[in-house]
RNA sequence: CGGGGUAUGGCGCAGUCUGGUAGCGCAUCUGCUUUGGGAGCAGAGGGUCGCAGGUUCGAAUCCUGCUGCCCCGACCA
């Protein structure tokens, strides 16, 4: 299915009549947005002068980069490949990665999950307990320490979290519990490709839920389901949950969250209603089982499937206007697997009846590093990246078109200082470059708003504000600019 | 894991067939001019030609072995 047509999937164009771009649900500029409902002020707001930043942009495209996100990440100086499927994150890329992490973390916390941090190196013995040490195969990077002890670089953490759980939790009164971390994983892919989209080392948020019974586990699953809808929506992505194979994780209930992008790796089919469904609001009752079950049912009752699970006859039964077939990228995957690990690893609690019961578990993954690439696949044009506001490395690019000119220098310095003071992430291009080079740089790195300060406009007391996504240009006074972005 | 490529300055490439002082564009540095969509002129610096052997008076070039990386397929957060 995937290989049909003679061309690799990612090179084929989008299937017909599909809307692939979505507006972010909010502007996020003021950080007072009701949808996002930020819990904490983002730590990553740190304005920067480009002349002092480390932004190694490339004018030419490195030949190894085949897909647009990989090309643009290399050109924009976001990552550097250090080995096959292994990347260093350069400052610009790291900023985006951190902003994605922040959103993921906020929504996990909002849904009641609790953050911890587990190590990347694990003991083989732990994996022998679950039986996966042999089963996982060559994708697991196995290493020996100086004492010849068998260790491994974690590809996932079900075993370790189960070990931590069983060491401390004895009573059903401590449930439900959902623990997560955001940590680097290593899976020794046979063939890493597409930059950070399919790398061997990748960042993953993995959460693990523990419940006394199946009904409780179901609620935990639904909470993560709703949290994922919110997480992707906050990044301006339309993610559609689709029933999925459980693969090596195991279990009997699983959904993949797929975002639509014309360069996606897999072919997906879904009902057109998914394009406009309302995402759960920030204040939705995560602790109410009926509310959460309602969200789940609303988002799963219409047809949606990847090509592996596709039922052509069910899809074709839909009215033609409601059929959407497109390409998709998997950005999240959730599983309910019951006692698959708690049973063999003896993670048990005493129930109200005094009997020991293995806990019901689920796991929930999002790949922030893959999301960086997926976001670019969904948001770019010929000139470069177009970041959604919420994950942009900088909110504003301030371009001084004539460095050395007293008026433009002073106007830029004033704007920069005021924006910085107001907590706006601004990148001030104060390099002694020609205007064309500055426009090209800001377009390439995808800063959502460009504030352009040149001698001509300034003579009339105006600067130009350009929207990277729409291209719309406005002529505003510097004071109006400050009001616009700090209101 | 099968198949196919490729490796020459930071990036993109030529040179290899037919062995003889390592080249081009971009980038970088200096100076002057320029300044609203990747500027122009002049000058400069930077490469043990992936690694190890071998052939030869002489190897980027020929031979042998190895390694890295990329692409296609099967597999995958």
């Amino acid at each position: 299915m995937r290989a049909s047509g003679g061309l690799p999937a990612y090179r084929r164009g989008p299937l017909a009549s599909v809307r692939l771009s979505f507006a972010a649900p909010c502007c996020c500029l003021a950080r007072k947005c009701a949808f996002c409902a930020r819990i904490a002020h983002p730590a990553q707001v740190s304005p920067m002068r480009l002349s002092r930043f480390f932004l190694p942009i490339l004018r030419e495209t490195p030949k190894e980069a085949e897909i647009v996100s990989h090309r643009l990440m290399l050109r924009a100086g976001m990552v550097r490949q250090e080995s096959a499927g292994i990347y260093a994150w350069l400052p610009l890329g790291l900023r985006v990665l951190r902003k994605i992490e922040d959103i993921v973390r906020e929504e996990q916390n909002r849904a009641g999950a609790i953050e911890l941090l587990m190590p990347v190196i694990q003991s083989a013995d732990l994996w022998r307990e679950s039986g996966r040490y042999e089963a996982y195969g060559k994708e697991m990077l196995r290493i020996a320490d100086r004492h010849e002890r068998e260790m491994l670089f974690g590809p996932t953490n079900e075993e370790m979290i189960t070990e931590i759980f069983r060491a401390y939790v004895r009573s059903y009164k401590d449930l439900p519990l959902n623990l997560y971390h955001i940590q680097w994983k290593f899976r020794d892919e046979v063939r890493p490709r597409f930059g950070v989209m399919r790398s061997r080392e990748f960042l993953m948020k993995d959460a693990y839920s523990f419940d006394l019974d199946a009904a409780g586990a179901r609620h935990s699953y639904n909470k993560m389901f709703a949290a994922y809808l919110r997480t992707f929506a906050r990044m301006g992505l339309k993610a559609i949950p689709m029933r999925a194979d459980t693969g090596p994780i195991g279990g009997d209930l699983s959904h993949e969250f797929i975002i639509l992008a014309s360069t996606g790796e897999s072919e997906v089919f879904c009902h057109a209603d998914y394009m406009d469904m309302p995402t759960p609001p920030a204040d939705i009752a995560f602790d109410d089982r009926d509310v959460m079950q309602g969200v789940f049912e609303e988002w799963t009752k219409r047809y949606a499937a990847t090509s592996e699970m596709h039922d052509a006859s069910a899809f074709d039964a839909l009215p033609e206007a409601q059929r959407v077939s497109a390409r998709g990228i998997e950005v999240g995957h959730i599983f309910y697997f019951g006692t698959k690990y708690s049973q063999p690893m003896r993670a048990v609690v005493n129930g109200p009846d005094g009997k020991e019961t293995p806990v019901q578990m689920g796991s929930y993954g999002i790949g922030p590093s893959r999301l960086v690439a997926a976001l670019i696949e969904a948001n770019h044009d010929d000139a470069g990246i177009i970041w959604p506001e919420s994950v942009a490395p900088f909110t504003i690019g301030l371009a001084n078109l004539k460095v050395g000119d007293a008026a433009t220098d002073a106007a830029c310095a004033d704007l920069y200082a005021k924006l910085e003071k107001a907590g706006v992430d601004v990148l001030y291009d104060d390099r002694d470059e020609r205007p064309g080079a500055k426009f090209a740089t800001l377009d390439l790195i995808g800063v959502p708003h460009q504030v352009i300060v040149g001698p001509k406009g300034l003579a009339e007391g105006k600067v130009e504000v350009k929207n990277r996504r729409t291209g719309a240009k406005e002529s505003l006074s510097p004071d109006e600019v400050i009001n616009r972005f700090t209101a």
Side-chain angles (χ1 to χ4, degrees), chain A residues 150-193:
Chain A
E150 293 173 272
M151 312 295 282
L152 57 97
F153 195 121
T156 178
N157 284 64
E158 278 83 6
E159 283 78 2
M160 187 173 284
I161 199 72
T162 304
E163 190 282 322
I164 290 173
F165 177 89
R166 76 181 175 192
Y168 300 109
V169 181
R170 289 280 119 79
S171 165
Y172 77 96
K173 293 176 185 169
D174 294 324
L175 303 181
L177 183 62
N178 185 326
L179 299 171
Y180 76 98
H181 72 162
I182 301 175
Q183 178 63 289
W184 294 94
K185 305 293 190 293
F186 195 94
R187 294 184 188 174
D188 201 356
E189 296 277 346
V190 203
R191 190 178 161 216
R193 61 188 128 165

Side-chain angles (χ1 to χ4, degrees), chain A residues 5 13 37 86 114 131 134 163 211 232 265 317 330 332 341 344 390 417 436 438 450 459 479 483:
Chain A
I86 299 178
I114 300 168
E134 306 305 330
E163 190 282 322
D211 284 275
F232 299 123
E265 273 194 83
E330 181 185 349
Y341 300 95
S390 57
K438 299 196 175 197
Q450 299 174 7
D479 283 346
N483 289 335

Side-chain angles (χ1 to χ4, degrees), chain A residues 310-329:
Chain A
H310 186 47
D311 175 353
S313 59
F315 185 66
D316 291 341
L318 294 175
E320 172 128 33
Q322 308 210 289
R323 283 181 232 154
V324 172
S325 59
R327 307 219 142 261
I329 301 170

Side-chain angles (χ1 to χ4, degrees), chain A residues 384-396:
Chain A
I385 303 166
I386 306 171
W387 291 114
E389 196 91 39
S390 57
V391 297
F394 296 95
T395 305
I396 294 178

Side-chain angles (χ1 to χ4, degrees), chain A residues 274-319:
Chain A
Y274 279 113
M275 301 300 109
D276 298 304
M277 290 197 11
T279 307
D283 59 357
I284 195 163
F286 279 98
D287 289 331
D288 187 317
R289 290 192 179 191
D290 295 335
V291 169
M292 286 296 112
Q293 183 64 21
V295 169
F296 176 83
E297 282 170 13
E298 180 63 20
W299 279 85
T300 53
K301 68 185 184 192
R302 294 172 185 80
Y303 189 84
T306 59
S307 56
E308 292 81 14
M309 306 284 277
H310 186 47
D311 175 353
S313 59
F315 185 66
D316 291 341
L318 294 175

Side-chain angles (χ1 to χ4, degrees), chain A residues 221-451:
Chain A
Y221 186 92
N222 290 345
K223 281 197 281 190
M224 286 292 109
F225 187 97
Y228 275 34
L229 291 174
R230 284 189 47 78
T231 301
F232 299 123
R234 282 186 60 186
M235 296 172 194
L237 294 172
K238 180 66 70 176
I240 300 165
M242 304 193 181
R243 278 197 73 96
D245 268 332
T246 52
I249 308 274
D252 52 13
L253 176 59
S254 177
H255 287 85
E256 286 179 5
F257 287 76
I258 307 272
I259 62 158
L260 302 186
S262 57
T263 45
E265 273 194 83
S266 48
E267 199 168 4
V268 298
F269 306 86
C270 70
H271 193 288
D273 283 2
Y274 279 113
M275 301 300 109
D276 298 304
M277 290 197 11
T279 307
D283 59 357
I284 195 163
F286 279 98
D287 289 331
D288 187 317
R289 290 192 179 191
D290 295 335
V291 169
M292 286 296 112
Q293 183 64 21
V295 169
F296 176 83
E297 282 170 13
E298 180 63 20
W299 279 85
T300 53
K301 68 185 184 192
R302 294 172 185 80
Y303 189 84
T306 59
S307 56
E308 292 81 14
M309 306 284 277
H310 186 47
D311 175 353
S313 59
F315 185 66
D316 291 341
L318 294 175
E320 172 128 33
Q322 308 210 289
R323 283 181 232 154
V324 172
S325 59
R327 307 219 142 261
I329 301 170
E330 181 185 349
V331 290
H333 201 159
I334 62 179
F335 304 85
Y336 164 58
F337 47 72
T339 60
K340 178 178 163 77
Y341 300 95
S342 56
Q343 186 100 54
M345 293 185 67
R346 283 198 50 75
V348 297
V349 294
N350 283 303
D353 56 4
K355 288 183 182 165
E356 284 192 337
T357 319
V359 283
Q360 296 283 323
M361 293 177 59
S363 75
Y364 315 90
I366 290 180
S369 51
R370 169 181 281 191
L371 265 171
V372 177
L375 279 157
I376 296 172
E377 292 294 333
N379 297 282
H380 67 270
D381 63 14
D382 290 343
I385 303 166
I386 306 171
W387 291 114
E389 196 91 39
S390 57
V391 297
F394 296 95
T395 305
I396 294 178
L398 174 62
N400 183 345
L401 294 194
K402 194 168 184 181
V403 169
D405 178 278
T408 61
D409 285 356
C412 286
D414 190 53
L415 277 165
Y416 181 69
K418 286 174 175 164
L419 291 168
E420 178 176 30
K421 193 175 176 191
V424 179
D425 242 342
V426 54
L427 176 66
Y428 174 23
D429 189 347
D430 60 338
R431 297 171 305 166
D432 188 10
E433 290 284 345
R434 296 167 62 85
K438 299 196 175 197
F439 296 138
T441 298
L442 290 178
D443 286 350
L444 174 63
I445 68 173
V447 179
H449 303 278
Q450 299 174 7
V451 175

